[in-house]
Amino acid sequence: MAAAEQQDPATDHAIEVAGLTKRYAKSGGSEAKLALDGVDLAIPRGSLFGLLGPNGAGKSTLINILAGLVRKTSGSAKVWGYDIEADQRMAKAAIGVVPQELNIDPFFSPGELLEVQAGLYGVPKAERQTDRILKLIGLEDKRNSYARSLSGGMRRRLLIGKAMVHDPPVLVLDEPTAGVDIELRQQLWENVVELNKRGTTILLTTHYLEEAEELCDRIAIINHGKLVAHDRKRALLGRLDAKMVRVTVKEAITDIPDVLKPFEPTILDVSENGAPTEMTISYRPSVTTAGDIIGAINSAGLTILDLSTEETDLEDIFLQLTSQRKE
């Protein structure tokens, strides 16, 4: 029976970890390393969840523990309500992992690879969904082609298909678009969004922050093995209390008008003929509004020709949180 159809313990979370710790012992010339340091994380069912962090932050260790490939040092972890140790078989059946590496046998066709993978998971032939999966990942017409003839983007999609053969309710994508060109990356994300709409919980790790910002409804950031942020995307973006407004005024400005001095504007450009003038003003939305700034500009007798604001993005948050030193 497919994992998504099994009678699972009652929970609203697809993944739950509490106090999860992993310490790698000293080996050879390498020092002992604390890869995960008491991580608490709950991922709601049905979400498209982004897990971000610098290289070596602990993302892959967390994924490998959930997949049963690495043993935790302490703490607990559940997948679809099943403890990864007490209910190991059920937990593994509830998760599919798409790795970074293109580990595909080049001498098998996509159809054969999905059939073999389904057999490894013990899916009876009568319950296998090879054709449906190939159609879903856009490889229906490549069913009988050698995998070595597939493009890099197609191989990435085939990896997703391999992770889906046992119909897991949770799908983990570990840097799925690494090395993929823009067009193929877009196609891949369309497939991922469609899977999520069908009810699959997606856990995504990526270095492309703009992708996480566009796709994910919830985001967590891990750094030095610690979870430094975990919230809904909009709430997370609202943490950085900083915006900037860029204004072009008709008049030439050499001296800042008194009414604008409290906003500390920066003059960027005055055209050769003495006008117009472009300036920027950085402000904290919790203290000042764009309306306050516009009102001050009008009070100074200046004519606004153009105005734009620059919002906080995920990169700003990421850099702020991951640039903090390890305690």
Side-chain angles (χ1 to χ4, degrees):
M1 184 182 293
E5 298 173 350
Q6 294 166 350
Q7 296 298 315
D8 52 87
T11 176
D12 293 328
H13 297 119
I15 292 173
E16 298 173 272
V17 301
L20 192 62
T21 299
K22 175 59 182 179
R23 185 182 298 276
Y24 290 101
K26 183 176 181 179
S27 176
S30 63
E31 296 294 324
K33 179 183 178 182
L34 183 61
L36 292 177
D37 188 3
V39 172
D40 296 321
L41 179 64
I43 299 177
R45 294 188 178 198
S47 64
L48 208 168
F49 193 96
L51 180 63
L52 311 179
N55 288 330
K59 304 187 300 297
S60 293
T61 297
L62 176 58
I63 289 171
N64 288 335
I65 288 175
L66 293 174
L69 301 176
V70 171
R71 291 184 64 85
K72 62 184 175 63
T73 302
S74 62
S76 65
K78 294 181 180 180
V79 178
W80 213 246
Y82 299 108
D83 187 276
I84 61 170
E85 290 184 343
D87 300 299
Q88 187 178 91
R89 182 174 176 273
M90 300 298 286
K92 285 185 175 182
I95 192 170
V97 178
V98 181
Q100 296 182 38
E101 300 79 14
L102 290 171
N103 56 349
I104 295 175
D105 191 317
F107 297 103
F108 281 82
S109 68
E112 290 169 337
L113 283 169
L114 296 189
E115 284 291 316
V116 169
Q117 189 77 358
L120 292 175
Y121 272 97
V123 181
K125 286 190 176 182
E127 296 179 17
R128 294 178 189 175
Q129 304 180 59
T130 298
D131 290 334
R132 183 185 71 84
I133 293 172
L134 287 171
K135 183 176 181 180
L136 186 62
I137 60 177
L139 293 179
E140 192 174 21
D141 61 335
K142 300 292 184 180
R143 191 190 202 287
N144 298 314
S145 302
Y146 281 124
R148 65 173 180 266
S149 69
L150 303 180
S151 68
M154 290 178 180
R155 294 184 188 189
R156 291 283 179 190
R157 280 182 273 159
L158 182 53
L159 282 179
I160 293 177
K162 285 181 64 179
M164 293 171 56
V165 295
H166 57 299
D167 197 18
V170 181
L171 189 63
V172 178
L173 306 176
D174 191 8
E175 300 288 349
T177 57
V180 176
D181 65 40
I182 294 175
E183 183 178 358
L184 291 175
R185 190 183 304 165
Q186 187 63 37
Q187 293 175 3
L188 192 63
W189 287 134
E190 289 174 0
N191 279 276
V192 169
V193 170
E194 180 60 29
L195 283 173
N196 183 243
K197 287 180 179 178
R198 291 170 179 248
T200 302
T201 301
I202 306 290
L203 171 58
L204 162 71
T205 76
T206 179
H207 282 296
Y208 299 106
L209 300 183
E210 69 278 8
E211 289 182 343
E213 184 169 352
E214 179 181 353
L215 295 169
C216 299
D217 46 53
R218 290 175 178 266
I219 291 172
I221 298 176
I222 191 169
N223 194 33
H224 298 305
K226 288 180 174 289
L227 205 65
V228 295
H230 174 208
D231 213 330
R232 291 183 180 275
K233 178 175 63 180
R234 296 315 319 168
L236 190 61
L237 292 175
R239 284 193 186 188
L240 197 59
D241 190 20
K243 284 188 178 182
M244 186 181 75
V245 62
R246 185 182 297 267
V247 185
T248 301
V249 296
K250 182 178 180 180
E251 296 78 12
I253 298 177
T254 54
D255 296 319
I256 304 297
D258 289 341
V259 70
L260 282 177
K261 286 182 179 178
F263 298 101
E264 300 180 348
T266 299
I267 304 298
L268 296 180
D269 181 59
V270 179
S271 65
E272 293 181 359
N273 62 4
T277 301
E278 184 178 1
M279 72 178 82
T280 61
I281 298 174
S282 297
Y283 66 101
R284 295 171 57 196
S286 63
V287 177
T288 304
T289 67
D292 296 331
I293 296 170
I294 293 171
I297 293 172
N298 290 331
S299 296
L302 301 174
T303 307
I304 298 176
L305 297 178
D306 189 35
L307 182 146
S308 62
T309 59
E310 295 185 8
E311 301 281 346
T312 299
D313 61 18
L314 188 58
E315 184 174 359
D316 296 323
I317 297 292
F318 181 84
L319 291 174
Q320 183 193 58
L321 293 174
T322 58
S323 64
Q324 298 171 359
R325 292 185 178 181
K326 183 179 179 180
E327 297 179 358

